[in-house]
Amino acid sequence: MSELKPKAGIKEWFGLTVIILVTLLVAIDVSVLGFAIAPLSEDLSPSATQLLWIMDIYSFVLAGTLVTVGWLADRVGRRRLLLIGAALFGVSSAVAAFSTSPEMLIASRATLGLAASTLTPTSLALIRNMFHDSKQRKGAIAAWGGTLTSGAALGPIVGGLLLNNFWWGSVFLINTPLMVLVLILGPFLLPEYRDPNRGKLDLLSTALSLAGIMTLIYGFKDIVINGYSQSSAICAGVGAVLLLAFVIRQSRSASPMINVSLFRNGGFSGAVITNMMIAFALMGSSVLTNQYLQMVLGYSPLKAALWSLAPMPVIGIAVGLTPALSRKVRPAKIIGGALLIITAGFGVLTQVKVDSNIAVVLVGVGLLAGGMVACKTLAAEIVVTSAPPEQAGSSVAVSETFTEFGIAMGFATLGSIGSAIYRHDMSHVSPAGVTGDALTALRNTIGGAANVASGLSHSAGGQLLSASQSAFTHGLQIASIAGVGLMAFTALLASFLLRKTPIEGALPGALEAAQEGGYDEFDSPGSIAWADDTPAAVQHSSAAYR
């Protein structure tokens, strides 16, 4: 069977650089704020509650608006919405940079989250419009996925370098000129695509998705940060009920915002679950390993961030190798194998000790990063090819919403396990003269123990630090064991769900019928080796679809 789909030219590849730039800025902005907390706190004097909202409002709004914005992208135009989002991102970044009060910064961060939600689904959906050839599309999606992974690691480094030379607002202001560049190049290099038959926006569904997602994630985070409480549990429960109501309404709607029936497709469900769990692994591992580098090995925040770049060569290899491998091997085998690589990464982290060489951590993190990029590349392609072209934006938005849930659950699950082990091991530690809030602080977090130790004698402080480092490392080990079990189960589940997904992705209609009719394997991009007894009608039907 000959490949009839046109190949992308120079314009499309230059357009991909615009998409990569947008994706990089969104990924960096998630983590760039860390270094700026101290100087902006001195300048704006936010309360503890305001400071939490400054840090969290971006991700809350991003997660809550993804579904609605994905639908809008399909309805009003993906390029148009991306450019609107880029303009809003640039303006909001400038406002954030020159904020004069905590309230002003919180509002601008919320607007940044809204702008970011327009950029993620539109960027990946546009890749489908630009790259029709399977080989080229796999390479473009690999670059997109690698940018998301590396951008999160670059955020703290970019923030540290800027703050060494400029004021705290520079971590936001750097976005503005780059988004102006996107606004200049985007209209010339990016194609437009919209579906005028998408119907009217369902305002009740919009409210249900926004409220449900935000309250559920807020409840998860509050449990992790402040411990279990009835209010946080109720918040998470209310969010779950609202989301259930949203799904029920979508399944009965004549013009739904998301195509719930997509979840009957094992390929789509497997890809979404894979995306969620690699986000789980990324957040769960990074929150523990970053603290280990700083609080146990004694690295400065900037030095720890620089060491986090060590896995970049592994990411580069995964970006280059995955598209080539995916042209010969089924997605179930690649994604299942990549998830087992992530499992092995957690396995290495179970061996980390207080006096371990940093190489042990880097090997574990490198395996995690390589497996994540391979999974993200193939899962993203399956997501965009599972839905009809006119629904690609909303299908990507659904997947990215699950990714945000994965981030929250990774932080909640592995972070909570590590914290619980730490508190258990430190429950008997009681330095002489330390009582009340100070004793509670040192038993709750390794950071609290470091603060208390700084006010003790050299001997007592050293003993406290040693005990807290051992407790934290033990927590890292146990959390990593949990990571091994969860990712191994995910590998089995994803392999099962993706078992019928062909090499080119979860294509609907004719190709699924072809699978039922019986093809053996893809010999090369654009060709299928059909079984001898495959009906001719199936072959002709698949050729027409392709």
Side-chain angles (χ1 to χ4, degrees):
M1 189 190 307
S2 59
E3 175 62 75
L4 301 178
K5 294 181 180 179
K7 291 193 174 184
I10 295 178
K11 178 181 178 181
E12 285 77 15
W13 288 108
F14 275 111
L16 179 63
T17 62
V18 176
I19 290 176
I20 292 299
L21 177 60
V22 167
T23 304
L24 181 64
L25 289 177
V26 171
I28 287 177
D29 217 60
V30 172
S31 56
V32 74
L33 190 60
F35 282 98
I37 290 297
L40 74 83
S41 295
E42 293 180 6
D43 189 19
L44 301 181
S45 301
S47 66
T49 301
Q50 288 174 329
L51 189 59
L52 285 175
W53 279 111
I54 289 171
M55 297 173 64
D56 290 339
I57 192 65
Y58 176 90
S59 60
F60 286 161
V61 175
L62 169 61
T65 54
L66 271 170
V67 171
T68 301
V69 169
W71 182 92
L72 286 174
D74 292 335
R75 179 66 178 83
V76 306
R78 294 167 189 167
R79 183 183 67 184
R80 176 184 297 179
L81 196 61
L82 183 142
L83 295 177
I84 292 173
L88 182 61
F89 202 92
V91 171
S92 300
S93 296
V95 173
F98 296 102
S99 293
T100 56
S101 68
E103 293 81 5
M104 185 176 178
L105 183 55
I106 291 170
S108 59
R109 285 277 290 169
T111 311
L112 276 170
L114 175 61
S117 73
T118 70
L119 301 175
T120 304
T122 54
S123 62
L124 183 55
L126 279 171
I127 289 178
R128 179 175 184 180
N129 299 138
M130 296 161 63
F131 298 92
H132 302 283
D133 177 74
S134 175
K135 178 180 178 181
Q136 292 183 324
R137 187 174 61 244
K138 290 178 191 295
I141 292 177
W144 178 86
T147 301
L148 282 176
T149 303
S150 57
L154 286 172
I157 297 170
V158 171
L161 293 175
L162 287 172
L163 291 172
N164 280 341
N165 298 281
F166 306 101
W167 92 114
W168 62 264
S170 62
V171 302
F172 298 111
L173 192 60
I174 190 175
N175 296 327
T176 301
L178 295 176
M179 284 302 181
V180 170
L181 182 62
V182 170
L183 291 172
I184 294 172
L185 298 177
F188 300 100
L189 297 176
L190 300 177
E192 183 58 285
Y193 186 95
R194 67 188 184 92
D195 177 20
N197 300 316
R198 288 287 274 166
K200 295 182 179 181
L201 180 63
D202 184 346
L203 295 179
L204 178 56
S205 292
T206 299
L208 287 172
S209 66
L210 177 64
I213 293 169
M214 291 185 68
T215 52
L216 180 58
I217 292 180
Y218 177 81
F220 268 127
K221 282 198 170 185
D222 191 57
I223 290 172
V224 174
I225 295 173
N226 299 315
Y228 176 84
S229 67
Q230 186 177 17
S231 60
S232 58
I234 291 174
C235 185
V238 169
V241 171
L242 291 174
L243 286 178
L244 178 60
F246 169 76
V247 171
I248 293 173
R249 183 174 177 82
Q250 292 302 292
S251 65
R252 298 175 178 176
S253 173
S255 180
M257 296 173 63
I258 64 171
N259 187 354
V260 179
S261 65
L262 281 174
F263 285 96
R264 301 193 191 105
N265 181 332
F268 182 81
S269 297
V272 169
I273 290 173
T274 297
N275 274 334
M276 181 178 69
M277 291 307 295
I278 60 176
F280 172 97
L282 175 64
M283 177 55 68
S285 61
S286 63
V287 71
L288 294 171
T289 55
N290 287 341
Q291 288 187 79
Y292 175 83
L293 293 179
Q294 295 180 52
M295 305 306 297
V296 178
L297 296 188
Y299 292 175
S300 68
L302 182 58
K303 184 178 179 180
L306 289 171
W307 272 111
S308 68
L309 293 181
M312 290 298 241
V314 179
I315 293 175
I317 292 172
V319 168
L321 182 61
T322 303
L325 190 62
S326 65
R327 294 194 291 271
K328 293 290 183 181
V329 183
R330 287 174 180 268
K333 294 180 180 179
I334 299 177
I335 289 179
L339 288 168
L340 289 178
I341 291 174
I342 296 175
T343 303
F346 275 116
V348 172
L349 294 180
T350 64
Q351 303 305 306
V352 171
K353 298 178 175 58
V354 173
D355 57 351
S356 288
N357 190 289
I358 190 175
V360 179
V361 177
L362 296 182
V363 169
V365 172
L367 290 171
L368 289 167
M372 288 173 187
V373 171
C375 287
K376 187 70 175 179
T377 299
L378 290 184
E381 185 185 15
I382 293 172
V383 166
V384 297
T385 56
S386 291
E390 64 273 12
Q391 297 179 13
S394 57
S395 68
V396 172
V398 170
S399 178
E400 291 305 304
T401 300
F402 273 82
T403 296
E404 293 298 321
F405 281 134
I407 291 173
M409 287 191 299
F411 190 70
T413 305
L414 298 188
S416 294
I417 291 173
S419 296
I421 297 299
Y422 177 87
R423 289 194 295 269
H424 175 270
D425 289 359
M426 292 292 289
S427 61
H428 66 282
V429 176
S430 182
V434 178
T435 58
D437 291 342
L439 184 60
T440 301
L442 72 87
R443 289 177 174 176
N444 281 339
T445 67
I446 189 173
N451 289 334
V452 172
S454 64
L456 301 177
S457 65
H458 178 75
S459 175
Q463 291 177 358
L464 175 57
L465 284 177
S466 177
S468 65
Q469 289 170 352
S470 296
F472 180 85
T473 305
H474 187 204
L476 169 61
Q477 294 168 347
I478 301 302
S480 298
I481 291 173
V484 168
L486 288 169
M487 298 312 296
F489 174 77
T490 304
L492 293 174
L493 179 61
S495 298
F496 174 78
L497 292 173
L498 296 166
R499 69 193 185 284
K500 292 184 178 181
T501 303
I503 285 182
E504 287 208 329
L507 300 178
L511 203 50
E512 289 182 352
Q515 185 171 18
E516 295 297 329
Y519 63 82
D520 290 332
E521 188 63 87
F522 284 84
D523 289 332
S524 63
S527 65
I528 299 177
W530 297 97
D532 293 337
D533 59 348
T534 302
V538 170
Q539 299 187 35
H540 291 310
S541 174
S542 182
Y545 178 84
R546 291 164 62 78

